[in-house]
Amino acid sequence: MSATDPVNPPGEPAPELLEGRLWVDGCFDFFHHGHAGAVVQARQLGDELYVGVHSDEAILENKGPTVMNLKERVMATDACRWVTKSIPYAPYVTQLDWITHYGCKYVVHGDDITSDSSGEDCYRFVKAADRFKVVKRTPSISTTDLVGRMLLCQRGHFIKSLQKMLEGVDGPGTEEERKKEGQAMKERIRLYATDETAKKPGVDVWFWSENDGFDKLFNGIGPRIGQRVVYVDGGFDLFSSGHIEFLKMVVETEEDLARKDGWYSEQNVNERKGKGEDYGPVFVVAGVHDDNVINKWKGVNYPIMNIYERGLCVLQCKYVNAVIFGAPFEPTKGYLTKFPWSTPDAVYHGPTSFMPSTKDVYAAPKEMGIYREIGHHEFETVNAGTIVQRIMKSRDVYEARQRAKGMKADLEAAHKERELLEEEQRQKESRLQK
């Protein structure tokens, strides 16, 4: 265990190990869809999911500097729909006493190796205790990949038309390869649109285009009786604390309004429960702009994440009930009144504008009397631009981290090869004994 990790896990211990309570841990640095992929697969294996988040100091010692601090990283895991509870300061090398303390029988991780500063497997103790479960690692995404895009100013990740890519029309490779990739991407969107159990449909998913209007991809739960439909839009690039706090404040604002109208009265709560289950007063629709729209306003290599990656990040957030891919930069009256659900009761915007425009893009919702502005908050300046500035300010350090990642991969490969040889030897000895 790192010297920077707490020796004992905080909080009261669970009375017993629970088969359905699972543990996942990690750095979760600017929570991307690769993290969400591991989390949703883990949640499918049980009924509860506890997520351990490593300290800034432990990550620095074993991997390199973080981009987001611990508070921001815990915010991200707390906002994930499939997470039951976040545990900060979890040890970098997973300890049996920690997961046992929280009643988690098994630890879940991707099929890649994660090693500490010495190159040793971080999950060696839980593997030895046969308390380890493996899920597939999300391909083609990592924090290191995203940092690389920032440092190298790459633009090859942009997607011209996500809808055509899912259909296998656009994209690299042969027709067969495009269709296979498109189907895989579509299935990942379906997975990330599941409810808190990770097993049933949860989030509505739609496309919008200037020519064709709205086009449904997946059905979710949809608005329930009495819920207000509200709309937010943005790039949601490098989905982070600024986005999360904004979305959380939208939900809290609507909850405050509903509280004044008696939504939480005992009679109304019991009435909703009598018809199935209780639910919140708001249905949040998030519009996600295309890559070319963001690049038009921000230039250089923005967005750092393409629309598919950004959409997956928004889909996994528990404050969102529907996602519209390809949402227009300017939500016009024609766009808002043709919503698949109903004309929004409110259109929310944050305290700052990250993509400058010479015109008021929210003129229509203001004229309609449905425009609402969220007040200032602690993370309002955190966006893709400021995250890139964090990287560039310490460029030498992060470039060293990139090089170290390569050397560490060699160590991990050597450990993997050793594990395979040991497994082959065990199987050979087993056959001889028979």
Side-chain angles (χ1 to χ4, degrees):
M1 185 184 293
S2 166
T4 56
D5 290 322
V7 176
N8 299 309
E12 290 296 317
E16 60 181 328
L17 289 182
L18 301 173
E19 285 280 344
R21 183 179 292 176
L22 303 171
W23 175 276
V24 168
D25 56 24
C27 305
F28 304 108
D29 208 4
F30 47 88
F31 196 85
H32 54 66
H33 73 87
H35 298 134
V39 170
V40 68
Q41 290 180 83
R43 180 62 180 81
Q44 288 181 323
L45 300 177
D47 306 315
E48 294 180 284
L49 185 64
Y50 280 43
V51 176
V53 185
H54 308 317
S55 68
D56 299 341
E57 295 79 12
I59 298 169
L60 178 63
E61 180 181 323
N62 289 279
K63 188 175 183 178
T66 62
V67 181
M68 314 302 289
N69 62 41
L70 179 62
K71 183 176 181 179
E72 292 174 305
R73 293 184 289 110
V74 171
M75 276 182 67
T77 56
D78 276 345
C80 181
R81 184 177 297 106
W82 310 294
V83 173
T84 306
K85 186 173 184 177
S86 299
I87 311 294
Y89 298 101
Y92 199 84
V93 176
T94 309
Q95 304 293 314
L96 286 167
D97 59 344
W98 269 71
I99 63 170
T100 299
H101 178 87
Y102 292 106
C104 302
K105 187 168 183 180
Y106 296 103
V107 174
V108 184
H109 192 260
D111 52 13
D112 56 322
I113 290 179
T114 299
S115 59
D116 59 18
S117 56
S118 64
E120 290 291 323
D121 189 343
C122 288
Y123 298 99
R124 55 189 181 271
F125 300 122
V126 290
K127 285 180 178 178
D130 198 25
R131 292 171 64 179
F132 188 73
K133 292 181 180 287
V134 177
V135 294
K136 290 184 178 180
R137 181 185 182 278
T138 304
S140 306
I141 189 70
S142 71
T143 301
T144 305
D145 294 332
L146 295 173
V147 170
R149 290 182 191 176
M150 297 178 209
L151 295 175
L152 300 174
C153 288
Q154 298 167 337
R155 297 176 64 177
H157 57 283
F158 287 5
I159 292 176
K160 186 177 180 180
S161 169
L162 178 60
Q163 194 166 12
K164 288 183 178 180
M165 199 166 187
L166 297 185
E167 293 168 354
V169 177
D170 280 359
T174 64
E175 181 180 352
E176 183 180 348
E177 289 170 338
R178 288 195 301 270
K179 286 186 176 180
K180 185 178 179 181
E181 177 64 14
Q183 187 59 37
M185 291 170 69
K186 190 182 293 185
E187 286 305 310
R188 185 162 293 280
I189 291 174
R190 186 199 300 273
L191 175 63
Y192 285 43
T194 52
D195 67 359
E196 63 274 9
T197 70
K199 295 172 183 174
K200 296 184 293 185
V203 182
D204 290 6
V205 185
W206 289 73
F207 285 106
W208 183 86
S209 69
E210 191 78 47
N211 296 326
D212 303 321
F214 288 96
D215 188 13
K216 180 172 62 180
L217 183 61
F218 295 124
N219 266 333
I221 296 171
R224 299 178 181 183
I225 296 173
Q227 284 186 322
R228 278 167 49 94
V229 174
V230 306
Y231 181 63
V232 300
D233 63 359
F236 299 105
D237 196 12
L238 297 177
F239 193 75
S240 60
S241 52
H243 304 118
I244 293 167
E245 187 66 13
F246 164 68
L247 291 168
K248 182 182 178 183
M249 289 178 71
V250 167
V251 171
E252 290 175 344
T253 299
E254 286 291 319
E255 287 174 343
D256 287 343
L257 290 173
R259 190 171 289 109
K260 295 173 184 176
D261 291 336
W263 181 273
Y264 296 102
S265 71
E266 185 176 355
Q267 179 182 339
N268 287 335
V269 169
N270 289 336
E271 188 175 322
R272 289 192 295 271
K273 287 182 177 178
K275 295 178 180 178
E277 61 179 358
D278 196 12
Y279 50 86
V282 60
F283 184 86
V284 179
V285 181
V288 184
H289 303 318
D290 279 328
D291 295 343
N292 66 324
V293 170
I294 297 173
N295 190 253
K296 175 184 176 181
W297 293 104
K298 296 199 71 174
V300 199
N301 62 327
Y302 289 100
I304 306 300
M305 286 178 171
N306 61 46
I307 187 171
Y308 171 66
E309 296 166 334
R310 292 180 285 111
L312 290 177
C313 290
V314 177
L315 277 170
Q316 60 80 37
C317 182
K318 69 182 183 183
Y319 303 120
V320 171
N321 305 98
V323 168
I324 301 172
F325 284 101
F329 186 59
E330 181 181 358
T332 63
K333 184 176 182 179
Y335 169 73
L336 295 171
T337 54
K338 291 176 183 175
F339 255 38
W341 309 276
S342 66
T343 299
D345 294 288
V347 174
Y348 281 92
H349 184 56
T352 55
S353 177
F354 304 137
M355 292 194 283
S357 175
T358 55
K359 63 184 294 188
D360 183 358
V361 295
Y362 293 102
K366 286 177 181 178
E367 288 172 8
M368 295 166 69
I370 58 174
Y371 179 78
R372 303 287 182 272
E373 209 163 271
I374 288 298
H376 294 282
H377 57 81
E378 180 182 355
F379 304 98
E380 66 185 49
T381 60
V382 182
N383 56 73
T386 56
I387 291 171
V388 170
Q389 287 172 12
R390 292 183 189 185
I391 296 286
M392 292 306 181
K393 188 180 289 185
S394 304
R395 179 168 184 149
D396 292 343
V397 177
Y398 285 105
E399 285 180 336
R401 169 177 162 165
Q402 302 295 91
R403 290 191 296 272
K405 177 76 174 178
M407 291 184 285
K408 195 174 178 184
D410 293 338
L411 281 173
E412 291 170 352
H415 279 286
K416 183 72 173 176
E417 186 176 354
R418 186 184 69 189
E419 285 184 354
L420 290 172
L421 289 172
E422 289 173 350
E423 180 60 27
E424 288 176 5
Q425 184 63 30
R426 281 194 294 270
Q427 292 178 1
K428 185 177 179 181
E429 290 172 356
S430 177
R431 286 194 296 271
L432 289 173
Q433 288 171 3
K434 291 179 181 178

